[in-house]
Amino acid sequence: TPQRQAPQRVVHEDDRHSLTRDVNLPQVLSSHIQSLSDLSLLTSRVHESGWCWVVIDSNTHEPNTLFLWDVNAKPAKLLQFRVDTTTTAKLVSIAFLQSYAQAAPSLLICSESGDVLYWPSVHNTRTNVTLPLPLTGAAGGSMTASEKACIVRDVPGVGFLLATSTSRVFSLVPQGPALRFRSLSTTQGLLSGIGAMFGFSRGAGAGSPPRSLLTIPLSRHSATVYLLSEKDLTQRTISIGLPSSSSGDSDTLNWQIPLHSMVSNQLKTVSGLSRGTLVVRLLSLQSGSNGTLYVLVASMPSGVASPLITYTIHQLILNQTSPSSPPTFGAHQVLKYNPEVPVGRQDAFFDILDFVIPQGGPSAFIVWPTAIVCCHVPTDDRVLDVIPFIKRNSIVFGAGVFSSAPRGDASIMSSLYGVLRIRELGPTKRKARVLTNPRSNSMNSQRGRGESAGSIGGGGATKRGKRDISESSTMSVEMESVNRQVGLLEDAISRFIDGDTNSELTSELTVAMRPLYSNADQAVLHYSQASLDSLPHTQPIWARKSGNTANSSMFVQQRLEEKMEAHGALLDFLHNSKIFQTLSLETREKLSTHGEKLAAASNFRKAAHQFDTKEELEIVGKAIQELLHEKRWTHHAIVSTGLGEQDFFYSKVTEIEDIAPSLVALVVAEEKRIFERVGNEESGGTFASRGQQNKFSVVLNVTNNLVKILFDAALTFREDSESYYLNPGEERGRLPWTASTTMRRCLRTLCEINVRQLKRGGLLVPPNPSASLAAANQIEASFLSLYDYYDCYLTGFAEERDLLMASSGETSEETLRFSKKFQEEVAKAINPFKLAQRWEIARKIAEKYCAFTLLLQICQASGELERIPDYLDRFRNDNFANELFSWYLNSGRYSELISIPEAYWADLSLFLESHPQVEWLHQIQMKSYNRAALSLLDVAKEESNRLGRRKELLSLSKLASYAASESVDTSQCEALLYLTTFQEELVERELVSASSPALQPTEAIKLLIASGSSQNWPDESVFTLSLDLLLNVKSILSGSQFEQQLKYVWAQCLARDPWETIAAKFRSTSSATDSVVEARLLNTVFYLVGTQRISMLTDAVLLSLTASFPEEVQRIISMTFSLATR
């Protein structure tokens, strides 16, 4: 798996740019590349989401190979695809989509021959769909037989776009394993401006082949689409509905311009060449900042033996107030990079690998396999750097920008070094990022009216931002040195704002700031916090309200936006002056918290004042009043500031989170007041009236909306801006304010109230299939809202758990205890959705928080166990396999357990090492019969209560040993099998109970000898059976045990004969002859046993057994032994 390098290793560095190793190629992919004799077979792409892919063209009749991996995954998993097309054509276009509606990313591939293949999930590398081309039956038109698919691109989070050879565009939206498609509009009214000047008044009909397809998201389901063909450039606005319905699909063709003609005329005018003597090629299109586009163009004179190729970048300025108006030409720059082109090789230099403008500029990079050209947009004609990349067996074969990368950094894919990061080192001014909250409905509604959508910084701080900074005069600094630093910081920022924010810091300002480069943390934090909580000296007359106003004025909303600009100016200054690099992680995290609270305060204020009814507005006012009272802010103290209560509250940005507990406390009090029951639970009690219930619903809905907006704004800001506050690969060291104990308690209470409200409405039951569509949608919306609250709550829990793991270790007692508590909270969150059979939501929670046992139970209850193979791939690195194995084992699903795909056999083998009772099944599946025989033997030894089961296991062990490729010692197995069979015979003769545990050899022998007379067995049979048993189980006895038991059996055998009586009779009978003596000895039990098993008795053993007998008896026993050996 690819691993990030720490520290990064420099591949190239000069006074302007550095090229460092960021991520190694996966080992399997690296091996494939090293085996290639022709590196031109490689193509690659770096996607903004963090996924990378590499295509190796087979150049034969074999399928092409696509490798895909996520560099952000820890560890990353390499996915490998075999791409079968109708011909051996290259894969020329690949689109990767992380859809809002799909759990796993999907993939769309277009080949040079026009084949289009679709993978609904990248985790199922073998499951793909080949689109039937040409596309027919689509809304608004179909592909013609002559059209060919050329380019595919993703509309982030929603679907795909496909451009054909005639520059027509189709939208394709994933619907499970299928795609919903439609043709985008191809007509428009008359064009004005540039389009009319060139006589181009028609819409986007059949045209020239496409060169670039660019999508810029506008909202969750809409985007602006630019299509650059060999001749034209078009802009569309598209909207894509939900995956389950096409009713929301629409698009508008805004404009189309003959860009090739326009650029050609401009270049000919500049170069002075006459018509027809200049070859012009539109290469690529990229978006810039502040409503601009950049087109990379290559041109060269025709009819020249060794022409020099000229690259130009043309700026197009969009009309943002009138989307249907075509763009105007801005600046264009001629790059001072003119490679000499060999005759017949023009296409090699026309077809660049990539044109990249990270975050809209100013840095820009043009990438060839053997060189990287670094420049600036829009007006800098200088080529800042040309980085050659000509090394033996090393080329560049792809580029892109990770959204998580620092601003201005691009990523380059190299065959030798893996993923490289290119960074500009010059002290150029960095523009403030615009950080918005796309999740907030209130924010999006304001965006259409031109208001700032929860952004900080904008295009840089304004004079108003400077005034906001100068008003931060209430800072209280304990140390005089810190106070001086704060003053110096304020002065430096004011001078920075007064200057040109796109130029380098002046040397005078740099010298003045030197004291700030040591221990600037306190000064920066004091400055930032005072700026956030600053109060205006006075409030404009038009914004003042009489008395104790409950409503907030627009004046405060403007103040919040000014504070955003001030915060953005502070960050701009810290980055450009390099002071930011000296700040500690704790300080940078606190600055991030300030930005989060600004975004939360702005969005909260907008949402709070968009309610329609007086009742809703009063709820907000009451919550703020209660909060101010709790903080002991008196009415007189507030009025003395010249502000109303709400204006005063919104001015205290760093305390904005306190409003959430205040709102929830109102809901708790209202619930207790309205739903006070009379009677007991069993009798049903007495409930509130309909009017009271409706009133409580209003209070709950207001609180739900505002708390959700508060959290969404903060979490979205944190996600979008993390790379702006933290270094690459750096982890947060503090618990975010949204995950504090107070905020989590607030969210948990809100979740519990919402669950009780659903229960009161009788909604915690399975869906009613006969319900109307409107009612079903309303109920579904209630459950989705409940999911949002639980998600915020569990996110905070997970963040604290992760920090605890990092500080105490994953196996510490504290971490394990907290993780157990976290899993209990996840189970509580899932429970209401299980009761209501909202399986999709329950599954979503279990997936996100890796509650895999609960996830499997949900799949079983919903009849969706077919999801398990996808989960195995998706959660390969999250221990899902082990939890699945445990679930199968505990459920007795042994057949499913051993039916696990072969790719997981190694994991299963490790898991089953602690579960030998089923381990042998997997070993037989793997045809490891020798290991299976040993495992079965071990299990049989442990099986002491069921003789039949033990015998079955021993028989299987013996059978497995016969099937083994290597010889296996079966002596122990056969001994135990004999002993088990022997005990079964004892059970049949009722010598032992059928429920008795397995007997040991010593126990069986003693039992047999003791009970021989009761079975009317001949004495010699008892001892013969005992000796046979002892002989057959010798392999499971130690040498001393065997000798001891052997002596015991023969001693018992000798004790059965009356040796002293026999000796006395011989003494009293003088006429006894040898034949008479012999006849008497031949009837002894010792003789009868000896004739059959005398080989198991040695002279030494006999002497030890008879040593205590009288000499006369010893002689008689010796005579008997001699008779038995004849």
Side-chain angles (χ1 to χ4, degrees):
T1 58
Q3 300 292 332
R4 289 194 178 273
Q5 299 293 320
Q8 295 178 335
R9 288 178 286 177
V10 176
V11 174
H12 169 90
E13 187 172 69
D14 53 32
D15 59 343
R16 292 189 178 274
H17 292 87
S18 69
L19 199 61
T20 55
R21 298 181 69 163
D22 189 21
V23 182
N24 286 338
L25 293 178
Q27 185 61 45
V28 173
L29 174 58
S30 182
S31 300
H32 275 77
I33 292 176
Q34 291 174 10
S35 65
L36 291 177
S37 58
D38 182 5
L39 293 180
S40 65
L41 300 176
L42 293 170
T43 54
S44 176
R45 181 70 179 170
V46 175
H47 194 263
E48 61 181 8
S49 63
W51 287 78
C52 299
W53 57 76
V54 174
V55 176
I56 300 180
D57 178 21
S58 66
N59 204 25
T60 65
H61 293 285
E62 293 297 319
N64 297 320
T65 305
L66 169 66
F67 295 92
L68 181 69
W69 75 97
D70 182 1
V71 299
N72 294 321
K74 298 179 181 179
K77 174 186 176 183
L78 181 67
L79 306 172
Q80 184 171 345
F81 302 78
R82 288 172 60 83
V83 186
D84 292 291
T85 57
T86 55
T87 67
T88 58
K90 281 187 175 182
L91 307 181
V92 294
S93 186
I94 300 175
F96 174 87
L97 175 67
Q98 180 69 67
S99 170
Y100 297 125
Q102 291 181 296
S106 53
L107 194 67
L108 196 69
I109 296 178
C110 177
S111 75
E112 197 173 37
S113 59
D115 293 318
V116 180
L117 290 84
Y118 170 57
W119 275 262
S121 170
V122 297
H123 297 301
N124 290 337
T125 58
R126 299 179 183 274
T127 305
N128 68 79
V129 180
T130 301
L131 269 63
L133 298 177
L135 299 175
T136 57
S142 304
M143 286 177 64
T144 64
S146 61
E147 280 185 287
K148 185 175 71 172
C150 292
I151 301 177
V152 291
R153 287 289 181 269
D154 65 297
V155 181
V158 179
F160 299 101
L161 294 178
L162 182 150
T164 70
S165 55
T166 60
S167 290
R168 288 211 300 161
V169 182
F170 289 80
S171 67
L172 299 95
V173 182
Q175 289 182 317
L179 288 168
R180 180 179 81 240
F181 68 96
R182 68 186 298 273
S183 173
L184 301 190
S185 298
T186 58
T187 58
Q188 180 202 19
L190 294 178
L191 297 178
S192 59
I194 297 177
M197 287 168 53
F198 284 89
F200 199 94
S201 59
R202 295 289 181 124
S208 54
R211 300 291 300 172
S212 288
L213 187 59
L214 178 65
T215 61
I216 301 177
L218 296 176
S219 66
R220 184 164 178 168
H221 292 286
S222 63
T224 301
V225 179
Y226 296 94
L227 179 65
L228 177 69
S229 71
E230 292 183 356
K231 301 296 182 183
D232 312 312
L233 175 64
T234 60
Q235 184 204 63
R236 292 179 176 86
T237 303
I238 67 169
S239 178
I240 298 178
L242 298 174
S244 58
S245 172
S246 61
S247 59
D249 291 357
S250 64
D251 66 280
T252 303
L253 176 61
N254 297 325
W255 47 259
Q256 177 177 1
I257 58 174
L259 187 62
H260 185 273
S261 299
M262 297 161 62
V263 170
S264 297
N265 288 337
Q266 188 179 49
L267 290 176
K268 289 175 182 177
T269 301
V270 172
S271 63
L273 294 173
S274 59
R275 177 176 292 274
T277 60
L278 192 66
V279 178
V280 177
R281 178 77 64 88
L282 306 180
L283 298 182
S284 184
L285 177 71
Q286 286 294 322
S287 63
S289 59
N290 301 322
T292 57
L293 298 174
Y294 293 97
V295 183
L296 178 64
V297 178
S299 60
M300 67 178 183
S302 61
V304 180
S306 297
L308 289 178
I309 195 165
T310 300
Y311 295 98
T312 54
I313 299 177
H314 297 258
Q315 183 190 47
L316 298 176
I317 301 174
L318 301 172
N319 190 332
Q320 299 191 50
T321 60
S322 177
S324 61
S325 298
T328 58
F329 265 134
H332 81 278
Q333 56 194 108
V334 180
L335 301 181
K336 301 299 188 291
Y337 176 71
N338 304 95
E340 184 174 330
V341 182
V343 177
R345 292 296 308 277
Q346 291 90 339
D347 286 343
F349 286 85
F350 278 161
D351 294 332
I352 62 169
L353 279 179
D354 226 318
F355 174 40
V356 179
I357 305 179
Q359 289 87 32
S363 297
F365 306 97
I366 307 173
V367 183
W368 283 271
T370 56
I372 304 169
V373 174
C374 314
C375 58
H376 270 181
V377 291
T379 59
D380 194 343
D381 284 354
R382 294 175 300 158
V383 172
L384 300 182
D385 213 351
V386 178
I387 303 176
F389 217 84
I390 305 175
K391 293 182 179 289
R392 187 170 181 267
N393 293 329
S394 176
I395 64 167
V396 174
F397 55 96
V401 178
F402 291 138
S403 60
S404 60
R407 187 173 181 84
D409 287 9
S411 295
I412 308 295
M413 189 76 75
S414 159
S415 60
L416 181 61
Y417 300 111
V419 181
L420 300 171
R421 178 168 293 178
I422 186 168
R423 171 176 297 174
E424 184 174 344
L425 300 178
T428 56
K429 186 80 70 178
R430 172 181 285 179
K431 294 184 179 180
R433 288 187 63 183
V434 178
L435 303 170
T436 62
N437 175 16
R439 299 181 187 173
S440 172
N441 293 331
S442 62
M443 181 204 69
N444 288 333
S445 65
Q446 293 293 336
R447 191 174 292 176
R449 294 193 289 270
E451 291 192 15
S452 172
S455 63
I456 70 165
T462 63
K463 298 296 181 181
R464 181 183 295 166
K466 177 184 175 182
R467 185 177 71 249
D468 187 75
I469 296 170
S470 65
E471 290 170 352
S472 301
S473 58
T474 60
M475 290 185 294
S476 157
V477 185
E478 297 178 3
M479 299 176 59
E480 184 63 28
S481 61
V482 175
N483 193 27
R484 286 196 301 270
Q485 282 190 315
V486 171
L488 178 59
L489 180 64
E490 182 175 347
D491 180 63
I493 294 177
S494 297
R495 295 169 65 182
F496 174 74
I497 295 174
D498 285 336
D500 180 6
T501 58
N502 291 321
S503 65
E504 299 180 359
L505 292 171
T506 64
S507 58
E508 179 186 358
L509 183 55
T510 302
V511 172
M513 292 189 309
R514 282 178 182 171
L516 287 173
Y517 287 91
S518 60
N519 193 26
D521 294 76
Q522 281 185 287
V524 169
L525 286 178
H526 276 291
Y527 180 91
S528 178
Q529 181 163 345
S531 177
L532 261 64
D533 288 343
S534 64
L535 298 174
H537 294 311
T538 183
Q539 188 179 23
I541 295 176
W542 55 264
R544 296 178 186 174
K545 304 280 185 180
S546 60
N548 180 19
T549 176
N551 293 324
S552 171
S553 65
M554 284 302 298
F555 169 70
V556 166
Q557 182 62 44
Q558 291 183 350
R559 290 280 303 167
L560 287 173
E561 293 174 3
E562 289 172 10
K563 289 181 179 184
M564 289 177 175
E565 293 177 356
H567 185 72
L570 171 63
L571 290 177
D572 277 349
F573 170 75
L574 293 175
H575 276 290
N576 281 274
S577 63
K578 310 300 183 185
I579 294 176
F580 198 85
Q581 300 173 4
T582 70
L583 300 178
S584 66
L585 173 61
E586 181 180 2
T587 298
R588 288 182 278 120
E589 285 184 298
K590 288 181 179 179
L591 286 175
S592 176
T593 298
H594 291 171
E596 293 168 20
K597 291 186 176 181
L598 268 171
S602 178
N603 285 357
F604 183 92
R605 193 265 169 203
K606 289 178 183 178
H609 292 272
Q610 285 183 342
F611 290 120
D612 297 326
T613 67
K614 179 181 178 182
E615 184 181 12
E616 292 171 323
L617 293 171
E618 287 177 348
I619 293 169
V620 180
K622 185 176 180 181
I624 292 176
Q625 286 179 350
E626 293 292 336
L627 176 60
L628 295 176
H629 177 73
E630 181 183 345
K631 289 182 172 292
R632 301 182 183 275
W633 283 100
T634 64
H635 174 69
H636 175 74
I638 295 172
V639 171
S640 65
T641 64
L643 300 175
E645 287 181 341
Q646 291 200 26
D647 289 350
F648 181 84
F649 161 72
Y650 287 118
S651 296
K652 295 293 183 179
V653 174
T654 57
E655 301 176 21
I656 187 65
E657 72 272 19
D658 294 336
I659 191 61
S662 183
L663 283 166
V664 173
L666 280 181
V667 181
V668 171
E670 197 71 6
E671 182 184 38
K672 185 177 181 180
R673 184 183 68 82
I674 293 178
F675 293 100
E676 198 70 52
R677 295 190 176 192
V678 179
N680 54 47
E681 187 73 22
E682 287 74 15
S683 63
T686 303
F687 294 91
S689 66
R690 175 69 64 181
Q692 290 176 314
Q693 293 184 38
N694 291 339
K695 184 177 180 180
F696 175 74
S697 297
V698 172
V699 177
L700 181 59
N701 290 338
V702 168
T703 302
N704 283 338
N705 291 335
L706 292 179
V707 171
K708 182 178 184 298
I709 285 171
L710 191 74
F711 275 85
D712 274 355
L715 295 175
T716 302
F717 183 96
R718 186 182 309 150
E719 179 182 343
D720 291 346
S721 64
E722 184 158 317
S723 62
Y724 206 53
Y725 293 92
L726 303 181
N727 296 322
E730 192 172 33
E731 298 291 340
R732 291 181 178 267
R734 300 171 68 249
L735 190 65
W737 63 275
T738 53
S740 67
T741 303
T742 300
M743 298 304 282
R744 289 212 308 268
R745 188 185 300 118
C746 165
L747 283 169
R748 183 180 62 193
T749 303
L750 192 60
C751 291
E752 292 169 350
I753 294 172
N754 276 279
V755 171
R756 289 196 292 270
Q757 183 73 345
L758 289 172
K759 187 176 181 180
R760 293 185 195 107
L763 301 180
L764 289 184
V765 294
N768 182 5
S770 61
S772 67
L773 180 60
N777 289 339
Q778 185 177 4
I779 295 171
E780 183 69 16
S782 299
F783 280 102
L784 288 174
S785 297
L786 180 62
Y787 163 76
D788 287 335
Y789 313 139
Y790 268 122
D791 186 41
C792 289
Y793 170 62
L794 294 174
T795 296
F797 232 113
E799 287 173 328
E800 184 172 357
R801 179 201 57 188
D802 294 342
L803 285 176
L804 191 60
M805 285 182 176
S807 61
S808 303
E810 295 185 9
T811 58
S812 69
E813 182 179 349
E814 185 181 7
T815 300
L816 294 175
R817 184 168 58 250
F818 192 89
S819 297
K820 181 180 179 182
K821 174 66 175 175
F822 175 64
Q823 290 300 321
E824 291 172 355
E825 294 301 313
V826 174
K828 290 179 183 178
I830 290 175
N831 189 56
F833 302 107
K834 289 175 63 177
L835 291 175
Q837 294 187 10
R838 305 287 167 169
W839 302 120
E840 184 176 354
I841 301 177
R843 198 167 54 244
K844 189 175 181 180
I845 296 175
E847 289 173 359
K848 181 172 182 178
Y849 298 103
C850 296
F852 296 135
T853 301
L854 290 172
L855 180 59
L856 292 166
Q857 294 172 359
I858 292 167
C859 290
Q860 183 182 23
S862 60
E864 296 177 303
L865 290 176
E866 67 274 6
R867 292 178 175 270
I868 289 177
D870 180 58
Y871 288 145
L872 274 171
D873 290 338
R874 180 177 168 189
F875 299 114
R876 180 67 184 265
N877 302 314
D878 296 313
N879 203 38
F880 176 81
N882 278 350
E883 293 211 31
L884 175 64
F885 301 155
S886 295
W887 187 70
Y888 277 152
L889 193 64
N890 297 333
S891 305
R893 297 171 171 266
Y894 300 134
S895 60
E896 287 96 332
L897 181 64
I898 64 171
S899 299
I900 288 292
E902 189 172 351
Y904 298 90
W905 281 6
D907 298 329
L908 182 58
S909 296
L910 289 174
F911 171 80
L912 291 178
E913 285 180 359
S914 57
H915 302 281
Q917 68 271 22
V918 291
E919 183 181 20
W920 60 272
L921 288 169
H922 180 52
Q923 290 166 343
I924 289 176
Q925 182 187 32
M926 295 190 299
K927 298 182 180 180
S928 181
Y929 299 115
N930 52 342
R931 293 173 57 197
L934 296 175
S935 296
L936 283 162
L937 180 60
D938 292 338
V939 176
K941 289 178 180 179
E942 298 297 324
E943 182 57 73
S944 60
N945 295 323
R946 296 179 296 171
L947 290 181
R949 176 61 176 166
R950 191 184 204 201
K951 188 175 182 179
E952 182 182 73
L953 292 169
L954 291 168
S955 299
L956 289 172
S957 174
K958 190 174 180 179
L959 183 62
S961 65
Y962 290 154
S965 57
E966 302 175 1
S967 60
V968 180
D969 183 9
T970 61
S971 58
Q972 285 195 30
C973 178
E974 291 174 345
L976 289 171
L977 192 57
Y978 186 90
L979 180 60
T980 304
T981 304
F982 189 86
Q983 185 172 346
E984 286 180 335
E985 293 179 4
L986 295 181
V987 171
E988 290 179 4
R989 292 181 178 272
E990 299 183 352
L991 292 178
V992 292
S993 170
S995 60
S996 298
L999 298 174
Q1000 297 297 320
T1002 56
E1003 296 172 333
I1005 290 172
K1006 290 178 180 180
L1007 183 63
L1008 179 62
I1009 294 175
S1011 59
S1013 59
S1014 64
Q1015 297 295 315
N1016 296 319
W1017 282 347
D1019 284 340
E1020 64 273 16
S1021 298
V1022 171
F1023 294 107
T1024 302
L1025 288 173
S1026 298
L1027 290 170
D1028 287 345
L1029 174 61
L1030 191 60
L1031 183 63
N1032 281 282
V1033 300
K1034 184 176 181 180
S1035 60
I1036 61 174
L1037 297 173
S1038 65
S1040 60
Q1041 288 178 325
F1042 179 77
E1043 292 297 329
Q1044 184 181 0
Q1045 288 303 308
L1046 186 63
K1047 289 180 179 181
Y1048 173 77
V1049 174
W1050 282 112
Q1052 293 297 316
C1053 181
L1054 288 171
R1056 288 298 174 94
D1057 291 318
W1059 296 108
E1060 292 187 359
T1061 302
I1062 295 173
K1065 186 174 182 179
F1066 287 162
R1067 287 196 303 272
S1068 64
T1069 306
S1070 58
S1071 60
T1073 62
D1074 290 342
S1075 59
V1076 174
V1077 172
E1078 184 176 330
R1080 180 67 185 88
L1081 295 179
L1082 293 179
N1083 288 323
T1084 62
V1085 174
F1086 178 65
Y1087 173 80
L1088 294 173
V1089 174
T1091 55
Q1092 300 178 58
R1093 301 291 183 268
I1094 199 63
S1095 61
M1096 298 183 67
L1097 181 63
T1098 63
D1099 292 335
V1101 171
L1102 183 60
L1103 286 174
S1104 66
L1105 293 175
T1106 60
S1108 61
F1109 289 4
E1111 291 184 7
E1112 187 176 14
V1113 173
Q1114 290 183 23
R1115 285 196 304 272
I1116 293 174
I1117 292 175
S1118 179
M1119 289 174 58
T1120 308
F1121 179 72
S1122 299
L1123 291 172
T1125 57
R1126 286 190 306 182

